[in-house]
Amino acid sequence: MEILQSIIPTALFFSAPLIFTALGGVFSERSGVINIGLEGLMIMGAFVGIVFNLTFADVFGDWTPWVSIFVAMIVSGIFSIIHAVASVSLRANQVVSGVAINMLALGIGIFLTKEWYGKGQTEMVSKPFYTTDVPFLSDIPVIGPMFFQSMYMTTYLAIFLAIASWFVLFKTPFGLRLRAVGEHPMAADTNGVNVYKMRYIAVILSGALGGLGGSVYALTIASNFSHATIAGQGFMSLAAVIFGKWHPLGAMGAAIFFGLAQSLSVVSSSVPLLQDVPQVFLLVAPYVLTILALAGLIGRADAPKANGIPYIKGTR
Amino acid sequence: MMSNRMFNILVPIISVILGLIAGAFLMIGFGYNPIEGYGALLNGIFGDAYVFGETLRQVTPLILTGLAVAFAFRTGLFNIGAEGQVFIGWLAAVWVGLAIDAPAFIHIPLAVIAAAVAGALWGFIPGLLKATRGVHEVIVTIMMNYIALYSTNAVIRYVLTDSRDSTDTIPDSVSLRADWITTMTTGSRLHYGILIALFAALVMWVVINRTTMGYEMRSVGFNQHASRYAGMNVKKNIILAMVISGAFAGLAGAMEGLGTFGYMSTQSGFSNLGFDGIAVALLGANTAPGVILAAFLFGGLKIGALSMPLQAGVPNELVDIIIALIIFFVAASYMIRWVILRFSKEGRK
């Protein structure tokens, strides 16, 4: 029981940024736009979140981290328009455009960091997120210490957004259109859905959520920005999208599972059963499992049909 | 109407020019003198024997990862996993270099081949999954990158050494470095590998353009159904293409292991050779000669950039932004084509 009480909060703590970003990936891919650029969008979010936090800590006081992630979300959303323009309007190869987004975000982030701070990494932020106990709920025996004691509020926000995304995608006309555009854009077009507009919205949403994920990672786990702040979390989120079968709740589950694997690799030395398991197995577990899932060994994972194909009006 | 061939040459050139112009504006915007900045960049590429040697040293693995991505592209596959294949190749080369004791003419080929085989194996898995289960190779290769990163680190730490962060240095009998090159380039890490890279480019050109195998692979890349109808084994060609692609990337790893570094240390992130290889292949229009030229450009930009902070005060990440923009322009070549067509039409009126 004590082991669970130490593992579960850590797992949730590691998985929150992954959940945000994976949700972004779900939106983008459900609309038919592959987003390899999640990593770059997280980098942009982390950069903006940290810089805003450092600059405006005096102005906003204790609200600084919240305002920071909000601003990071907006800026990353705007930044992702580049990917939307390239892959939706200009019919660029979406994977290539995503790779370029990753390079561009890191280039801009480090360039501006050197411009503004004179070195390759920023100072530590003075106003990161802190853990809190949820009133009343944290007093519940057994469950309280696991889910409601010394938690980050952002974790709850991530879970809430996952449920909200599920509702939007599967219970609203907007979600139906967005999914239609990703499965069969021509049919959607014939029915009066603006394919380009839906895809733009989806990509910008993925940018905003990726930015949120990056800034939350930066303000809970990293506390500063450098070239190594975001190292693979974006790709891990992409894995979560696929492992979760392009479903918001599935992606959340996968992200929590990957967060668990990450936290296990951190705390494994103190867990009797895992002490003898080499760390490397826990580190590669998310990736191996994703490949197995794709290969159909753990249920089948089918991508939205029109994923990765630019839509050109008037072609069949 | 301009021919496709013209476009294939014009688009990369225009993209590079646009990228450099954007970089110049960025420098002006942040109060730098772009002439000084690009002067420092050029100086960092051609300035003296040392930097030119380093540039060629950087170009070597870029040619190979560029070939890896380009070869897969020609078969309609996207190998985003060169990153991992480089690490596996690097590890294999260093491992063979350390484990075996042989004269150079056996030792070097053995280590180089080991790297190619290891990279090929890392390409085989996504190829197999693509061919047999229809799994998208982009996702699998991304996952394979991370598996490569963590498992090479584990092998270095627990198999090749006792919990150290770096392997021993390989013996001279397997090193691609040569004293006369080092002396001539005043201490740069340039090595014989550049010849291997150029030879690999020749191999790719011959295979793609002059063999039945290459013809079949290109055909599968254009249209799988037509190729199957024509009696080609589509699955075999997909797997083969990923295997060859992986072998090229594995060779790039050998260049790092046997040439540039002479050892392998644990890595916290990727070398970016694989991702830059995508840029190289794209700019080189996925042809062997194009890849060589593009590798020279990007290798030059990367090494030249290192002189920019000292000589012009410009952060060298400016070049990363420029490279990313160049990729955007090439990827969105629809825009450039449209503009060219527009202008050539208006000129005729």
Side-chain angles (χ1 to χ4, degrees):
Chain A
M1 202 49 73
E2 264 173 34
I3 294 165
L4 278 182
Q5 281 173 6
S6 75
I7 289 176
I8 291 179
T10 328
L12 289 174
F13 160 68
F14 272 108
S15 55
L18 300 180
I19 296 176
F20 288 120
T21 313
L23 290 175
V26 170
F27 274 107
S28 174
E29 304 232 330
R30 275 284 179 177
S31 82
V33 181
I34 293 182
N35 203 341
I36 304 279
L38 289 177
E39 177 92 359
L41 297 168
M42 280 187 92
I43 293 173
M44 192 43 86
F47 170 70
V48 174
I50 292 289
V51 169
F52 188 90
N53 197 305
L54 285 169
T55 316
F56 292 101
D58 299 335
V59 183
F60 294 105
D62 286 343
W63 285 99
T64 315
W66 291 101
V67 185
S68 303
I69 61 170
F70 182 73
V71 173
M73 192 173 92
I74 304 285
V75 174
S76 293
I78 296 169
F79 180 65
S80 68
I81 294 177
I82 302 175
H83 183 54
V85 171
S87 52
V88 180
S89 298
L90 297 175
R91 302 170 199 172
N93 182 319
Q94 294 168 5
V95 177
V96 173
S97 168
V99 170
I101 284 276
N102 293 340
M103 288 185 181
L104 192 61
L106 192 60
I108 292 176
I110 303 295
F111 180 84
L112 291 179
T113 302
K114 283 189 177 169
E115 274 298 317
W116 294 339
Y117 300 95
K119 52 190 180 204
Q121 64 183 58
T122 66
E123 309 294 334
M124 301 303 256
V125 289
S126 58
K127 296 273 177 199
F129 281 107
Y130 292 108
T131 55
T132 46
D133 293 348
V134 181
F136 309 120
L137 293 175
S138 56
D139 298 332
I140 303 171
V142 185
I143 301 174
M146 266 187 227
F147 297 103
F148 301 108
Q149 268 181 21
S150 49
M151 292 286 286
Y152 287 94
M153 281 301 146
T154 46
T155 304
Y156 299 121
L157 180 66
I159 295 168
F160 169 75
L161 275 183
I163 296 168
S165 302
W166 164 77
F167 185 80
V168 168
L169 269 177
F170 290 93
K171 300 289 167 196
T172 64
F174 170 81
L176 181 67
R177 288 185 197 127
L178 193 140
R179 283 181 294 130
V181 158
E183 291 290 337
H184 202 316
M186 201 177 63
D189 197 7
T190 319
N191 281 301
V193 179
N194 187 334
V195 176
Y196 298 117
K197 193 177 118 195
M198 290 311 294
R199 287 191 171 174
Y200 264 87
I201 293 173
V203 173
I204 293 168
L205 273 177
S206 82
L209 286 164
L212 199 57
S215 57
V216 166
Y217 185 87
L219 291 174
T220 54
I221 299 173
S223 296
N224 75 342
F225 180 80
S226 72
H227 72 280
T229 300
I230 302 292
Q233 285 80 11
F235 286 116
M236 198 184 261
S237 306
L238 185 71
V241 172
I242 297 155
F243 197 60
K245 300 183 182 171
W246 290 271
H247 191 288
L249 299 179
M252 178 181 77
I256 291 176
F257 179 68
F258 291 173
L260 181 73
Q262 266 194 324
S263 62
L264 283 182
S265 70
V266 175
V267 299
S268 65
S269 52
S270 62
V271 181
L273 261 178
L274 291 166
Q275 256 167 355
D276 303 326
V277 178
Q279 208 194 9
V280 60
F281 291 120
L282 293 166
L283 285 172
V284 302
Y287 308 107
V288 173
L289 286 168
T290 304
I291 292 179
L292 292 179
L294 280 167
L297 297 177
I298 311 176
R300 247 195 103 64
D302 284 317
K305 271 217 183 62
N307 207 6
I309 308 159
Y311 178 61
I312 305 167
K313 254 185 191 312
T315 53
R316 292 185 208 213
Chain B
M1 199 60 191
M2 237 179 278
S3 68
N4 243 345
R5 206 193 180 89
M6 269 297 279
F7 273 125
N8 283 343
I9 296 170
L10 265 182
V11 167
I13 293 174
I14 292 174
S15 302
V16 170
I17 293 170
L18 286 177
L20 291 173
I21 292 174
F25 275 111
L26 211 59
M27 280 193 265
I28 294 170
F30 282 92
Y32 300 113
N33 181 347
I35 300 172
E36 242 177 57
Y38 282 137
L41 181 73
L42 280 177
N43 216 7
I45 304 172
F46 301 107
D48 54 48
Y50 172 77
V51 291
F52 190 62
E54 278 292 299
T55 301
L56 289 180
R57 196 267 306 157
Q58 180 69 32
V59 167
T60 308
L62 279 181
I63 292 179
L64 287 163
T65 51
L67 290 174
V69 178
F71 194 91
F73 248 135
R74 292 297 281 273
T75 324
L77 299 165
F78 200 143
N79 181 9
I80 202 166
E83 216 52 77
Q85 292 146 9
V86 165
F87 277 165
I88 294 292
W90 188 342
L91 183 73
V94 170
W95 201 334
V96 169
L98 290 172
I100 294 174
D101 198 15
F105 70 94
I106 300 172
H107 205 171
I108 291 176
L110 216 57
V112 169
I113 290 169
V117 169
L121 186 73
W122 224 245
F124 172 75
I125 297 170
L128 182 75
L129 289 174
K130 169 93 179 176
T132 57
R133 323 258 338 181
V135 184
H136 204 302
E137 73 283 2
V138 167
I139 307 297
V140 180
T141 47
I142 288 176
M143 303 302 131
M144 298 286 290
N145 282 345
Y146 285 95
I147 298 173
L149 173 66
Y150 294 123
S151 30
T152 47
N153 280 350
V155 169
I156 292 168
R157 210 165 273 151
Y158 303 116
V159 181
L160 289 177
T161 69
D162 282 327
S163 303
R164 280 186 294 131
D165 286 334
S166 174
T167 67
D168 295 328
T169 304
I170 50 166
D172 283 342
S173 64
V174 71
S175 175
L176 289 169
R177 298 269 276 279
D179 285 338
W180 67 270
I181 302 178
T182 313
T183 318
M184 200 177 73
T185 57
T186 57
S188 88
R189 294 173 292 171
L190 180 63
H191 52 87
Y192 279 121
I194 185 83
L195 301 176
I196 298 178
L198 291 173
F199 179 72
L202 182 71
V203 169
M204 149 135 179
W205 185 84
V206 170
V207 168
I208 284 278
N209 293 304
R210 289 285 178 273
T211 65
T212 322
M213 186 168 79
Y215 179 83
E216 283 197 7
M217 280 190 224
R218 273 185 298 151
S219 163
V220 169
F222 280 125
N223 190 332
Q224 291 196 6
H225 305 291
S227 310
R228 187 173 296 119
Y229 187 67
M232 295 171 193
N233 186 339
V234 172
K235 287 181 181 179
K236 189 195 86 183
N237 276 299
I238 286 174
I239 296 173
L240 194 62
M242 281 307 288
V243 164
I244 295 176
S245 172
F248 280 132
L251 283 178
M255 299 300 109
E256 300 297 271
L258 306 179
T260 307
F261 294 99
Y263 58 86
M264 185 169 188
S265 48
T266 56
Q267 314 280 327
S268 60
F270 290 118
S271 60
N272 272 330
L273 287 172
F275 290 126
D276 291 339
I278 297 171
V280 167
L282 202 66
L283 193 70
N286 301 319
T287 61
V291 163
I292 295 176
L293 290 176
F296 268 93
L297 179 80
F298 284 147
L301 283 175
K302 289 247 157 186
I303 297 297
L306 299 177
S307 300
M308 290 173 83
L310 273 178
Q311 295 183 19
V314 185
N316 52 314
E317 279 73 20
L318 179 80
V319 162
D320 294 330
I321 299 178
I322 293 175
I323 290 179
L325 289 175
I326 293 176
I327 306 173
F328 266 119
F329 291 129
V330 179
S333 60
Y334 175 71
M335 174 179 67
I336 297 175
R337 277 162 203 261
W338 186 79
V339 171
I340 294 175
L341 278 177
R342 195 66 191 264
F343 273 92
S344 57
K345 258 185 214 157
E346 278 177 6
R348 228 174 285 143
K349 267 181 193 166

